[in-house]
Each structure stands twice: as structure tokens, then as C-alpha cells.
Amino acid sequence: MAISSTSTLVFKVQRCKPELVVPAKPTPYGYKQLSDIDDQESLRFQLPLIHFYQHNPIMEGRDPVKVLKQAIAETLVFYYPFAGRLGEGPGRKLFVECTGEGILFIEADADVTLKHFDDALHPPFPCMDELLYDVPNSNEILNCPLLLIQVTRLKCGGFTFAIRLNHTTSDGFGFVQFITAIAEMARGAPTPSVLPVWQRSLLNASDPPMFTCFHHEYNPVGDIKGTTISLNDMVHVSFFFGPSEISTIRKTLPTHLRHCSTFELLSAFVWRLRTTALQFSPKKEVRFLCVVNLRLGFNSLPSGYYGNALAFPAALTTAGKLCQNPLGYAVELIKKVKTQVTEEYVKSVADLMIIKGRPHFTAVGSYVVSDLTKIGLEEVDFGWGNPIYGGPATGGAGVIPGLKSFFISFKNKKGEKGIVVPLCLPATAMERFVVELEDVLLKAKQLLCETQNHNGTTIPSAL
């Protein structure tokens, strides 16, 4: 289950001096406001992602650095706000000044092949700081390039495409829309197949603002830096859940819950084990924040919208109830909270941002998961074919380590397609998590065997 924690792989990267890539044609100057969903404190961080590509004989003689740099310049003609700089107005309202200054781009070469990575093509990646160099003074939210891209050639003829995105400007779906446009331009398209739409005012607060829903995800329960998780000695480990593990976990649920989504199932399972491993007090409030995509089921957002269109509804309980009840308890909490996200709910979040000063979501006792398995990161083809990995470059995201994780599509050495869940926890908690995970799965398999031996007796909800 645990497929990686650290790697001994070490390699050197020779980088050219970072340069600015500007739009290939003149673009409009002006100011564009972000939405009240975009500019909340929770999204004021840099999100790193990476794609690994194999050598493709069809592309022999074509340099991925030159191809991608030109495609980026052409794509920025359509996505010209990305070539601007972020500013902050009254009430901490964010806006983009469309200056056309460009994005940061790094050309690099690494003395390593894809084979050297072996089965480590998932977070945490070895030498990630080499594959996505943190250019000094470039990673602030305001007055810095909104994107940093590094294309690194590998000795085997493959390459990596690593990108750092200012999350206030776009979410996962919007980001994929942008790099898909780069991929289309790299393959010779004159324009992106989906034209970008700004229209951030669609997710702005009412005038006057007045939130109408309960938002447990923003409850003020303490300093966001003062979580009960020690940030010392943090360990990153990725866990692979293949068809066998997912099926085993699902069959332990009561019959009426077995049709829950894989996201609901794994979210409940990992949330529960993570809470146990962190040894919270039984009376401590804990939250599960699921990232809900507002493009699904909401008629107000047009095709091509690439801003943050998401909400963080929170399932709320205590550590004692979560860990002592069967797994179905957590599944039902998550299923219920997802149904709360209506258009009224989203407008209420935007209003809350204005009224409460754009707060960070509640960090104390929280666990946030973003499902990236269906947004198309693994299908971005610059001409060399689909990546052998496309997704987050780190095991978590945000300003607080260990608070947020992802579900990532992954194929293991056996060719099994499943989901990788990267986690970041203190070392002692991670040890407990691994032990508890193995124990729970073993007991689940034993229960299934016992059930089969009793000719179809209902499986008890022991997880």
C-alpha cells in the first residue's frame, strides 16, 4: 500500500537563466478583478504540478523546450491575464494588471533517465526542487509572475514539464484547460479548442453581501497556524489503492451505502485512519473539507471559465465519533455535506468573504481532499503522447503542511489502474497510519473470507 516515502535517487540539473516568455502578439492592457471565490485566503499559495514524458521517435529532431516555449507564447495571446501581475485593492480585493510582462520560463537538462525513477513517478518526487527551480523573489502572491514553467530534457530523450501556478488565478480544471491549450498549440492548432472566458463577476458577492448558509469550513476555532499537528519532522508517503483494495473496503459497508462514489469511499476511509493516527482527543472537533467543482450542475458558469470554481463544504464531527463508529458513518457525513453545495450556498460563500475579510478555511482539526482523477491531467499531449505521470508535484498543498491532499490517477508496475493518495504527517503519526492501514485491510479481507464461508451472510460493518 505505501509505495513511497523518500528516494535515494540523486541527479544534477543544468539550468539556463530564467527568462520571461511574453505573448506572441500584442495583448490588451487593463485591470481584471478576480472573483470573491478566487481571492479568499485559502487560495493564496503557489501550486506546483509536473508531467513526465517518454521519448517518442515520431518527434525525433524536435526540441521540447523550443516547441513548448513557442506554444506558451502563442497560448498567452488568448490567456493574456496570466502574463500580467496580481495586485490588491481595498478590502483585500485581488485584481490582475494585464501588463503583458510574461511568465517565468526555465530551460534545463538533467543527467537522469525515466528508468532511474523506477516506480517513483508519484509524489514525493526526488530532487523536485531541481525539476522546478524556485526562482528567488518569484513566489510571492502579489507583484510576481503568475506562472513559472521549467522544461527539463532527460538523457533518455524524454522530458519533464513542471509548472507553478498562483492558485488565486485558477483551479485544477482551469489549469488543465490552459495547459491543454498549450498542448494544442504545440501540435499546430491555430487557436485553442476551448476559448478562455474570464467573467469572474459571476462568482462575486451580492450587493449588499449577506451570507445565508452555515459554513462550518470557515468557523473561527483558532489561529490557522496553530494546528494540533506538529509541523516538525513531517514525512511524505504515497498510498496506492487499486481495484482490489477499493473493492475490499466497499464490501465492508452496509448494502445501502455500497453504491457510494469511490471519492466518498476513500475519503471516509483515509480521513478516519488519519484521525486515528494523529491521536486527537475524542472530544476534539474534526472536519473533512471536500473540494466541490462548481462547473458540474451549475448553469451560471460558461464553457471556458478558468477561474476558481470550487467550494469547501465541511463534514463536522468529533474524533471520538469518527473513529469509534463504523466506516459508513464517515461515508454518510461526506455524502450529506456534498449535497449542501447549491448556487445559493456558493453565493453565500462569496458574501462571507466580504463580510469576514476573506478568511482562510478552518485548519484546526481539518483534512482537505481534492479529487484530480477526472480533470484530465494525465491526458495532456504536447505531441509526445500522454504523460506517464501528470499531477501534483508534492503530497499536499497550501500554506499549512499536511492539511490538504489529492486523489491522483495512477498505474502501478503490475499495470493496475488505481488511485494514489499522497499524505504528509509527522513521522510518528505516519508510522501509526501505516500500521493501522495494514491492520484494517487485513481484518476486512478476513471478514470477507468468513462471510463467503457462511454462504452469503451479510458482511458486518467493522471498518
Side-chain angles (χ1 to χ4, degrees), residues 70 104 118 120 146 151 173 181 199 205 212 217 246 251 262 265 279 283 318 324 328 334 356 393 451:
Q70 180 61 33
L104 272 174
D118 192 31
L146 298 176
V151 180
F173 277 88
Q199 292 188 22
T212 57
E217 63 270 34
I246 293 172
K251 288 176 181 176
T262 300
L265 179 73
Q279 296 185 331
K283 294 182 180 180
T318 65
Q324 293 164 15
I334 294 171
K356 298 291 186 179
T451 299

Side-chain angles (χ1 to χ4, degrees), residues 55-73:
H55 170 67
N56 187 336
I58 297 176
M59 302 297 286
E60 196 69 47
R62 300 202 68 190
D63 180 2
V65 170
K66 292 180 180 178
V67 169
L68 289 171
K69 189 159 84 169
Q70 180 61 33
I72 290 165

Side-chain angles (χ1 to χ4, degrees), residues 194-220:
V194 178
L195 293 176
V197 173
W198 187 263
Q199 292 188 22
R200 304 297 171 101
S201 59
L202 292 173
L203 292 177
N204 272 351
S206 307
D207 186 17
M210 181 180 67
F211 57 91
T212 57
C213 302
F214 290 107
H215 297 286
H216 295 302
E217 63 270 34
Y218 297 103
N219 286 351

Side-chain angles (χ1 to χ4, degrees), residues 216 271-272 275 280-288 314-325 329-330 333-334 364-366:
H216 295 302
W271 178 32
R272 193 163 169 270
T275 304
F280 288 144
S281 163
K283 294 182 180 180
K284 180 177 179 57
E285 276 191 347
V286 293
R287 290 169 175 77
F288 177 85
L316 177 65
T317 186
T318 65
K321 289 180 180 178
L322 178 64
C323 299
Q324 293 164 15
N325 275 299
Y329 172 78
L333 284 177
I334 294 171
V364 178
S366 295

Side-chain angles (χ1 to χ4, degrees), residues 24-312:
K25 298 177 183 178
T27 55
Y29 174 83
Y31 294 87
K32 288 183 174 292
Q33 280 197 337
L34 271 65
S35 77
D36 289 317
I37 298 296
D38 286 322
D39 59 10
Q40 55 187 297
E41 187 67 32
S42 310
L43 299 176
R44 296 190 182 203
F45 68 92
Q46 304 283 351
L47 177 63
L49 299 105
I50 189 166
H51 285 69
F52 287 79
Y53 291 90
Q54 294 175 304
H55 170 67
N56 187 336
I58 297 176
M59 302 297 286
E60 196 69 47
R62 300 202 68 190
D63 180 2
V65 170
K66 292 180 180 178
V67 169
L68 289 171
K69 189 159 84 169
Q70 180 61 33
I72 290 165
E74 293 172 358
T75 305
L76 286 176
V77 173
F78 300 91
Y79 288 84
Y80 64 90
F82 277 152
R85 298 294 181 265
L86 209 61
E88 189 177 59
R92 304 185 70 220
K93 183 69 177 175
L94 295 177
F95 62 86
V96 176
E97 183 180 3
C98 300
T99 61
E101 291 175 75
I103 68 159
L104 272 174
F105 183 88
I106 304 172
E107 173 183 349
D109 292 275
D111 64 347
V112 68
T113 70
L114 285 170
K115 286 186 178 179
H116 287 126
F117 284 89
D118 192 31
D119 197 31
L121 283 177
H122 50 74
F125 294 100
C127 302
M128 189 58 225
D129 55 342
E130 295 280 1
L131 297 174
L132 185 59
Y133 175 59
D134 185 11
V135 178
N137 304 314
S138 72
N139 62 358
E140 297 297 325
I141 298 302
L142 304 178
N143 304 313
C144 280
L146 298 176
L147 293 164
L148 165 65
I149 295 175
Q150 179 173 326
V151 180
T152 307
R153 306 179 191 92
L154 306 178
K155 287 179 67 177
C156 58
F159 65 94
T160 66
F161 175 88
I163 186 167
R164 191 186 70 197
L165 167 74
N166 184 323
H167 204 332
T168 63
T169 60
S170 188
D171 60 10
F173 277 88
F175 166 78
V176 170
Q177 180 182 309
F178 171 66
I179 60 171
T180 297
I182 295 175
E184 290 172 339
M185 305 299 264
R187 299 197 309 270
T191 60
S193 60
V194 178
L195 293 176
V197 173
W198 187 263
Q199 292 188 22
R200 304 297 171 101
S201 59
L202 292 173
L203 292 177
N204 272 351
S206 307
D207 186 17
M210 181 180 67
F211 57 91
T212 57
C213 302
F214 290 107
H215 297 286
H216 295 302
E217 63 270 34
Y218 297 103
N219 286 351
V221 297
D223 183 354
I224 69 167
K225 301 291 185 182
T227 72
T228 54
I229 300 177
S230 170
L231 300 184
N232 297 322
D233 194 25
M234 298 292 280
V235 174
H236 294 256
V237 180
S238 285
F239 297 88
F240 177 73
F241 293 88
S244 175
E245 288 83 7
I246 293 172
S247 176
T248 297
I249 298 168
R250 189 181 298 279
K251 288 176 181 176
T252 61
L253 289 174
T255 305
H256 71 283
L257 288 177
R258 289 185 198 169
H259 293 294
C260 67
S261 69
T262 300
F263 172 79
E264 293 161 351
L265 179 73
L266 278 187
S267 294
F269 184 73
V270 175
W271 178 32
R272 193 163 169 270
L273 289 186
R274 179 181 179 274
T275 304
T276 299
L278 288 168
Q279 296 185 331
F280 288 144
S281 163
K283 294 182 180 180
K284 180 177 179 57
E285 276 191 347
V286 293
R287 290 169 175 77
F288 177 85
L289 279 65
C290 50
V291 182
V292 175
N293 175 23
L294 305 183
R295 292 169 180 81
L296 304 177
F298 289 81
N299 298 322
S300 58
L301 295 179
S303 173
Y305 186 88
Y306 64 105
N308 286 285
L310 45 78
F312 305 96

